[in-house]
Amino acid sequence: MKTDVENQTRTYPKSDVLHPFDPLSFEELGRAVTIVQEHDKFNRDTRFVMMKAKEVSKEFIAGYKTGNAFDREVEVTLIDCGQRQTLEVEVSLNSGKVTRWEVTREVGQPMLIPDEFVEMTLIAIQDERVIRALEKRGLGLAERGLVCIDPLTAGHFGSNEDPTQRLIRGMFLMRKEANDNIYAHPIENLTVLVDMYDRVVVDLRDDGVVPIPQTMRNYERQYIQKLRPDLKPIRITQPKGVNFDVKGWGISWQRWRFHMSFNAREGLVLHDVRYMDEEAGRERPICFRASISEMTVPYCDVTSTNGVKNAFDVGEYGLGVLTNSLTLGCDCLGDIRYFDFDFINAFGEIESIPNAICMHEEDDSIMWKHTDLRTEKVENRRSTKLIVSFIATVGNYEYGFYWVFRQDGSLELEVKANGIVQTGAVVPGEQPRHGTLIEEGLYAPYHQHFFCARLDMNLDGPKNQVVEVESESEPTGPKNPRGAAFVTKTSVFKTEKEAQRRHKYETVRTWVIQNPNSKNRMGTNVGYRIEPTEVVLPFFNDDSSIAKRAGYLNNHLWVTKFDEGEMFAAGRYPNQNPGPDGLPRWIEQDRNIENEDIVVWYVFGHHHVPRLEDWPVMPNAKLGFKLKPSGFFGVNPAIDLPPARRAAKEHAGCCSTGDTAEFVPQRLTRLMRRTIRREKLMAEYEAGLAADEKAGK
């Protein structure tokens, strides 16, 4: 079968040398599609779900030299709608052949395809039962043109659900005019379930009419009657150019070296992250692969509409295919380097997202500073950070993901959640029990946002372990005479079951990833510590559907022995998966994780009780975590930063005064003069007292 790729024209910008970490290029996607479509088992009912470069191992990269030839392998996920099957396929681009074609044995459905969102809407809106349900709410033919359907994953809420169906659940909303905010007018108590294999509505649930909220509340500029005066411009310029170097998808900045890739499911992935340690005189590996493995948004409501919303945004929708095309001056500010992303749609056609990834530098205030009060000499170093980011729109929410590299050797992931809250309708005058009333008859349900970072660590080599550190007060006594001392206690996790852990405020519990085979100058294990931002636990009960499907949320920390098949915290196919799958299932093996090739899974979240200020569009909610060196370096790795320069022309020069040879410590001089004067006065006073006493006064 011929592919439509031949009819597409696009020049794909690439480096001279292909690297094993590089995402599939436009050309490679086209070749892979052709190979798959020409296979004898491919038929007219087959649809593409995802295609990505196959992961390479640490051992392979350790022996790889830039420019070496290697077999470029591609992983492809397909669905056969006629046979109602999920197919896992592998392709060798070098040989031009399919090397694997199997029906998956995994439970669940692959993530939804954007093409299915449109198909599902067309199927549902033409169904007679849907038409009658809308008419019951006073929405006739004219009004139905303003009705919208939000396509959501079906979840799994009972043992009688048919696993051979590929389901999408639809929620109904409407506009009052063409550009109106649909979330201001939800059609409550009405949901539809569509089987995308048979392309039919298999269930319609109508729990009774609730008045559709009528208040218009919009955020687009044409609806804002009076905008505040614009700020005077802040110019961010780098007249001498940027400080990072880009070769294909490989990045060098300051002491950092790393590679990037991008795929339809996870979005941005970091590979082989390293730091050049000048004191040690060598480039040191830190993390082999870092990504967002899964994210889940449980809605904490009981209605038949909001109560069934439990999105697995990575495994059910795919962050990569929902990525925004970023705009200079709006999404990114400064001297920007963009990266495009190419992917395939359901029919094997290549689509492109220009400016999918933004990379830039930012000033980051003071790195360190000290003023010697005795000499008044000042040493000041300013911090600059490198940020690699992308933004995905998943239905009503936008999620910005910002990987931040700092000059002190720390690596941070900051997530910015914003967009529009999900909404539901209540009878006017009624107070919602599980949400915040934001308009007459309109509420925003309580919910939570959870993210799981997968960190395939490689601290100074592949054999690592995780240590738990807790602080404890000692009883007042000989060892703590003033009652203010505390000690730290550490324990090494030996097996996977031991490493199921939660944060604990009472002991300031934290975790350090270590290499027991690499010592710092004090003879202790080198390490990196996980520092949290917001600490959240889920509020669902153990017998709930979401507890079974998203068991990875029960802990903030998981540690597993590396297995190339264990990539996603909720399992390979969380869509329609009843659970348990992923981390809770894998750790039943209880493998050894002490001084082994391990993967660290860190779960962080945001507890969202909506405010009036979150409506009609919410400001950023920031969350994330930081990987901070803890004994990895012998001294402060930012000690060698050059002194900060003053920006203003009238203050040209260096902020630091330590290099000024003729510096006069004026403050100290003043203090000394005051002290001498006080001592002289005190001496005169005491001499007067002595004279009076001698005179008998």
Side-chain angles (χ1 to χ4, degrees):
M1 180 182 294
K2 288 291 184 181
T3 172
D4 289 335
V5 172
E6 297 173 357
N7 301 322
Q8 296 179 280
T9 58
R10 181 178 185 273
T11 302
Y12 184 80
K14 59 182 180 181
S15 62
D16 294 334
V17 179
L18 178 70
H19 191 279
F21 287 137
D22 288 352
L24 295 173
S25 67
F26 185 90
E27 179 187 56
E28 289 176 317
L29 287 167
R31 288 170 55 201
V33 167
T34 300
I35 294 168
V36 171
Q37 289 182 333
E38 291 181 346
H39 192 270
D40 57 6
K41 292 184 180 178
F42 190 91
N43 60 70
R44 60 182 297 173
D45 293 324
T46 308
R47 298 288 181 268
F48 289 87
V49 177
M50 196 181 92
M51 181 180 287
K52 66 181 290 290
K54 188 174 181 179
E55 301 288 335
V56 294
S57 67
K58 293 176 186 175
E59 293 76 18
F60 177 86
I61 289 297
Y64 175 77
K65 302 296 181 184
T66 301
N68 284 2
F70 63 94
D71 188 8
R72 185 71 152 164
E73 295 181 286
V74 181
E75 293 180 346
V76 188
T77 305
L78 306 170
I79 53 173
D80 186 331
C81 299
Q83 297 296 317
R84 309 170 81 82
Q85 295 175 336
T86 299
L87 306 171
E88 294 178 353
V89 175
E90 292 183 8
V91 171
S92 166
L93 293 183
N94 290 32
S95 67
K97 295 180 179 179
V98 171
T99 57
R100 176 179 174 233
W101 187 291
E102 294 181 4
V103 177
T104 184
R105 296 178 181 176
E106 297 277 351
V107 178
Q109 285 281 337
M111 65 186 192
L112 300 182
I113 311 167
D115 301 76
E116 292 179 311
F117 299 161
V118 178
E119 293 177 16
M120 175 267 177
T121 300
L122 294 175
I123 294 166
I125 204 69
Q126 298 177 65
D127 186 86
E128 285 297 326
R129 290 166 292 177
V130 171
I131 292 172
R132 288 195 297 272
L134 294 175
E135 288 175 342
K136 189 166 67 173
R137 290 161 170 80
L139 303 175
L141 182 61
E143 293 82 7
R144 286 204 301 274
L146 295 172
V147 171
C148 302
I149 302 178
D150 240 2
L152 302 172
T153 49
H156 196 286
F157 296 96
S159 58
N160 60 340
E161 295 183 21
D162 187 350
T164 67
Q165 293 178 322
R166 182 168 170 81
L167 301 172
I168 301 181
R169 193 182 305 275
M171 307 290 174
F172 293 82
L173 311 102
M174 69 175 299
R175 306 180 191 273
K176 300 194 74 173
E177 59 185 50
N179 294 310
D180 191 16
N181 175 11
I182 61 174
Y183 296 100
H185 317 291
I187 302 174
E188 191 65 32
N189 286 347
L190 184 64
T191 61
V192 66
L193 205 59
V194 177
D195 180 7
M196 297 307 299
Y197 282 148
D198 289 342
R199 298 172 59 82
V200 296
V201 173
V202 295
D203 184 53
L204 177 78
R205 178 163 181 174
D206 187 346
D207 289 338
V209 176
V210 175
I212 300 170
Q214 295 299 305
T215 303
M216 290 181 65
R217 188 72 66 179
N218 289 287
Y219 56 89
E220 292 184 8
R221 66 195 69 181
Q222 67 267 27
Y223 291 102
I224 310 302
Q225 293 183 356
K226 185 179 180 181
L227 298 172
R228 70 176 70 179
D230 201 359
L231 291 170
K232 296 175 182 178
I234 299 174
R235 304 295 185 193
I236 299 175
T237 61
Q238 293 181 268
K240 295 185 179 181
V242 298
N243 297 292
F244 51 79
D245 182 56
V246 180
K247 292 182 180 178
W249 291 80
I251 313 298
S252 299
W253 178 77
Q254 288 286 283
R255 301 281 164 74
W256 290 99
R257 306 288 184 272
F258 62 96
H259 216 90
M260 300 191 304
S261 70
F262 205 88
N263 65 69
R265 182 166 180 164
E266 299 161 289
L268 180 64
V269 179
L270 303 180
H271 300 272
D272 200 17
V273 179
R274 296 171 174 265
Y275 193 93
M276 180 62 197
D277 186 346
E278 287 293 322
E279 185 191 31
R282 60 189 174 92
E283 197 172 78
R284 301 174 67 185
I286 295 173
C287 183
F288 186 71
R289 191 182 192 275
S291 68
I292 294 296
S293 166
E294 190 56 82
M295 58 177 288
T296 303
V297 186
Y299 277 82
C300 310
D301 201 356
V302 297
T303 66
S304 60
T305 46
N306 283 316
V308 294
K309 295 176 182 176
N310 293 307
F312 291 68
D313 290 335
V314 174
E316 293 183 333
Y317 295 100
L319 296 178
V321 292
L322 299 177
T323 291
N324 294 185
S325 184
L326 302 176
T327 305
L328 183 63
C330 298
D331 301 299
C332 308
L333 194 62
D335 201 334
I336 307 298
R337 172 65 160 86
Y338 290 109
F339 296 80
D340 302 340
F341 173 53
D342 297 324
F343 65 98
I344 54 169
N345 63 23
F347 304 97
E349 300 162 336
I350 303 177
E351 298 187 11
S352 299
I353 302 175
N355 298 357
I357 305 171
C358 164
M359 184 168 67
H360 71 290
E361 296 167 289
E362 284 185 7
D363 178 83
D364 195 31
S365 187
I366 295 173
M367 171 64 76
W368 59 265
K369 178 178 180 175
H370 185 64
T371 300
D372 189 316
L373 293 178
R374 292 160 184 81
T375 66
E376 288 196 31
K377 290 184 178 181
V378 181
E379 290 292 341
N380 184 311
R381 303 294 187 270
R382 288 198 69 80
S383 173
T384 301
K385 59 186 178 183
L386 178 73
I387 303 174
V388 187
S389 64
F390 74 104
I391 301 173
T393 299
V394 189
N396 56 305
Y397 263 105
E398 266 74 25
Y399 296 99
F401 298 88
Y402 301 79
W403 287 98
V404 183
F405 295 82
R406 288 194 167 85
Q407 293 164 302
D408 64 353
S410 63
L411 174 61
E412 181 181 3
L413 174 61
E414 182 181 66
V415 178
K416 298 177 182 179
N418 59 102
I420 304 178
V421 291
Q422 283 280 4
T423 54
V426 293
V427 175
E430 181 181 327
Q431 287 291 330
R433 179 175 173 80
H434 304 102
T436 302
L437 196 67
I438 55 176
E439 299 282 4
E440 179 70 15
L442 183 74
Y443 76 102
Y446 303 147
H447 60 283
Q448 297 180 296
H449 303 257
F450 289 101
F451 303 79
C452 181
R454 180 184 183 274
L455 306 169
D456 184 356
M457 299 305 297
N458 195 28
L459 286 182
D460 272 355
K463 295 297 182 73
N464 293 170
Q465 62 191 27
V466 178
V467 174
E468 184 168 271
V469 182
E470 296 188 277
S471 298
E472 294 181 358
S473 297
E474 289 194 311
T476 301
K479 292 184 178 180
N480 187 12
R482 297 172 186 83
F486 69 88
V487 297
T488 58
K489 294 186 176 181
T490 62
S491 56
V492 180
F493 298 129
K494 299 182 181 300
T495 68
E496 293 173 320
K497 287 186 177 181
E498 286 182 16
Q500 303 174 77
R501 305 298 287 171
R502 293 181 173 185
H503 281 292
K504 186 178 181 181
Y505 280 116
E506 293 84 352
T507 61
V508 198
R509 179 182 290 166
T510 189
W511 303 288
V512 180
I513 306 157
Q514 295 183 341
N515 185 333
N517 312 294
S518 180
K519 307 295 182 181
N520 55 38
R521 64 185 180 85
M522 301 307 296
T524 57
N525 298 339
V526 301
Y528 261 73
R529 182 170 67 216
I530 298 174
E531 285 195 351
T533 302
E534 180 178 355
V535 175
V536 177
L537 284 172
F539 275 78
F540 47 68
N541 294 328
D542 292 342
D543 58 354
S544 65
S545 166
I546 189 65
K548 297 180 179 69
R549 301 182 62 226
Y552 78 92
L553 299 182
N554 286 320
N555 297 297
H556 296 116
L557 180 80
W558 305 75
V559 185
T560 60
K561 187 173 181 180
F562 174 79
D563 184 316
E564 65 178 5
E566 298 175 1
M567 294 291 291
F568 304 107
R572 186 171 177 84
Y573 301 121
N575 188 14
Q576 294 178 229
N577 191 329
D581 205 345
L583 284 168
R585 180 166 63 89
W586 301 333
I587 64 148
E588 287 302 312
Q589 302 169 80
D590 206 22
R591 294 164 291 192
N592 178 54
I593 54 172
E594 184 181 16
N595 198 14
E596 291 282 356
D597 188 359
I598 61 171
V599 177
V600 176
W601 311 74
Y602 183 66
V603 179
F604 58 99
H606 174 59
H607 186 76
H608 196 175
V609 175
R611 313 165 298 154
L612 290 179
E613 292 85 351
D614 290 333
W615 180 250
V617 62
M618 64 176 281
N620 274 322
K622 297 181 181 180
L623 59 155
F625 70 97
K626 182 184 288 187
L627 283 175
K628 194 170 184 177
S630 181
F632 190 77
F633 300 102
V635 296
N636 177 0
I639 193 72
D640 61 350
L641 289 177
R645 310 300 298 184
R646 299 183 185 184
K649 292 182 180 179
E650 62 269 24
H651 299 296
C654 180
C655 296
S656 299
T657 57
D659 56 354
T660 305
E662 298 180 358
F663 176 75
V664 178
Q666 297 178 359
R667 185 194 302 174
L668 184 61
T669 300
R670 289 194 301 271
L671 291 171
M672 290 176 66
R673 285 173 178 170
R674 285 201 299 269
T675 302
I676 292 170
R677 187 164 58 251
R678 283 196 298 268
E679 289 177 349
K680 183 179 180 180
L681 290 172
M682 183 60 69
E684 291 175 351
Y685 175 72
E686 289 176 350
L689 289 176
D692 290 344
E693 184 178 354
K694 187 175 182 179
K697 294 182 180 180

